[in-house]
């Protein structure tokens, strides 16, 4: 119908402008997937009808080829951005199996590498800090405070929001006054717009280099205050 065609056209236009807005913004491609999959569903329906109705061999081959391409592309995208989707499909197993997730993760499916990294960090924090001691995560990962059950010595759970020098110096002052013993840098954390916090927070990073020793722990860099 004309109304459906207009709606599909508007979705396509929305998807196009959304992609233009996000060009150059690292890691934002998934935000364009909603309109893409809506369009895929619409055209898959058309192609399926074309395949069924078409009496010509070429018409069936053409529609079948496009259906396969759309399905393969969709599966590939899902495998990249939702690698655990195949496990979710195993509903009976999901109900009867017991997930060996780390503390505070809950009944959520995560990869073996994520499990290992979280457990390694949790064990380090439990063994080297008191429950009342604050630690600071240099990356934009507020969930890490929940996973290690420790407070943030600053008010910035997302350090990237300290966009002015005044805010960065406030964050630095909190770290100094609290004498934060451990600052943790996740080397595999996503950098917003591909700009790391080492670039965004030069005052904090310089302080870390001067006042802390660093060592590698799994995919984390542990900054330990030199004077304890």
């Amino acid at each position: 119908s004309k109304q459906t065609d207009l709606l599909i056209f508007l979705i396509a236009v929305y998807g196009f402008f959304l992609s233009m807005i996000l060009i150059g913004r690292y890691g934002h491609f998934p935000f364009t997937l909603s309109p893409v999959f809506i369009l895929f569903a619409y055209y898959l329906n058309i192609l399926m009808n074309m395949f069924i109705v078409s009496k010509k061999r070429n018409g069936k081959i053409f529609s079948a080829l496009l259906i396969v391409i759309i399905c393969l592309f969709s599966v590939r995208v899902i495998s990249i951005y939702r690698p655990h989707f195949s496990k979710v499909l195993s509903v009976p197993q999901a109900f009867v199996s017991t997930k060996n997730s780390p503390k505070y993760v809950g009944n959520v499916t995560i990869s073996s590498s994520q499990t290992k990294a979280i457990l390694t960090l949790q064990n380090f924090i439990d063994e080297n800090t008191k429950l009342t001691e604050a630690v600071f995560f240099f990356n934009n990962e507020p969930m890490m405070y929940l996973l290690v059950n420790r407070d943030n010595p600053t008010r910035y759970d997302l350090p990237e929001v300290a966009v002015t020098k005044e805010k960065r110096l406030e964050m630095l002052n909190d770290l100094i006054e609290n004498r934060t013993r451990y600052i943790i840098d996740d080397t595999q954390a996503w950098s917003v717009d591909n700009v790391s916090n080492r670039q965004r927070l030069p005052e904090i990073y310089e302080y870390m280099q001067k006042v802390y020793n660093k060592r590698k722990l799994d995919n984390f860099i542990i900054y330990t205050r030199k004077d304890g």
Side-chain angles (χ1 to χ4, degrees):
S1 67
K2 290 184 178 180
Q3 186 175 1
T4 301
D5 291 342
L6 175 61
L7 181 60
I8 293 300
F9 173 75
L10 292 175
I11 292 173
V13 171
Y14 166 74
F16 171 75
F17 282 112
L18 183 62
S19 67
M20 294 298 291
I21 292 170
L22 298 176
I23 283 178
R25 293 178 64 83
Y26 176 77
H28 286 70
F29 170 72
F31 290 111
T32 66
L33 294 180
S34 296
V36 168
F37 280 117
I38 291 173
L39 294 174
F40 276 178
Y42 174 74
Y43 286 111
L44 276 174
N45 182 54
I46 293 177
L47 290 169
M48 288 295 294
N49 290 333
M50 184 186 301
F51 180 81
I52 294 170
V53 173
S54 179
K55 296 180 179 180
K56 294 184 179 180
R57 184 167 177 269
N58 289 342
K60 286 186 176 292
I61 292 175
F62 177 74
S63 56
L65 180 62
L66 289 180
I67 290 171
V68 170
I69 291 173
I70 290 175
C71 290
L72 288 177
F73 178 82
S74 301
V75 170
R76 178 57 178 161
V77 169
I78 291 172
S79 69
I80 293 173
Y81 292 100
R82 291 293 182 270
H84 311 306
F85 187 72
S86 58
K87 294 183 180 180
V88 176
L89 291 178
S90 182
V91 177
Q93 182 181 357
F95 277 113
V96 299
S97 62
T98 301
K99 294 182 174 62
N100 296 318
S101 299
K103 291 184 301 183
Y104 312 118
V105 170
N107 195 28
V108 177
T109 301
I110 60 176
S111 68
S112 57
S113 60
Q114 288 174 314
T115 299
K116 179 177 177 291
I118 292 171
L119 284 173
T120 299
L121 187 60
Q122 286 180 337
N123 290 336
F124 174 83
I125 295 297
D126 287 344
E127 292 171 5
N128 292 278
T129 67
K130 297 178 181 179
L131 190 60
T132 56
E133 184 175 351
V135 298
F136 182 66
F137 285 91
F138 189 55
N139 311 100
N140 305 307
E141 297 180 308
M143 68 174 182
M144 298 306 294
Y145 295 103
L146 169 66
L147 294 179
V148 301
N149 194 27
R150 294 296 185 272
D151 290 332
N152 181 349
T154 78
R155 68 187 181 102
Y156 296 97
D157 290 337
L158 287 170
E160 65 156 336
V161 303
V163 293
T164 65
K165 188 170 184 177
E166 180 184 3
K167 290 181 178 180
R168 295 195 298 272
L169 291 178
E170 176 198 341
M171 186 190 304
L172 177 59
N173 186 64
D174 288 339
L175 293 172
I176 294 172
E177 286 193 353
N178 186 268
R179 294 182 62 82
T180 305
R181 192 152 53 112
Y182 294 109
I183 296 178
I184 301 166
D185 185 5
D186 184 353
T187 60
Q188 294 185 3
W190 175 58
S191 298
V192 179
D193 293 338
N194 208 24
V195 179
S196 73
N197 280 359
R198 298 182 182 190
Q199 297 168 276
R200 293 180 185 274
L201 311 169
E203 297 86 358
I204 309 300
Y205 186 59
E206 182 181 359
Y207 171 73
M208 290 162 57
Q209 297 300 308
K210 289 181 179 179
V211 180
Y212 290 76
N213 293 317
K214 64 179 180 179
R215 69 182 180 92
K216 196 83 163 53
L217 181 69
D218 203 272
N219 55 276
F220 303 99
I221 297 177
I222 307 294
Y223 288 84
T224 306
R225 192 178 175 90
K226 293 179 181 178
D227 59 5

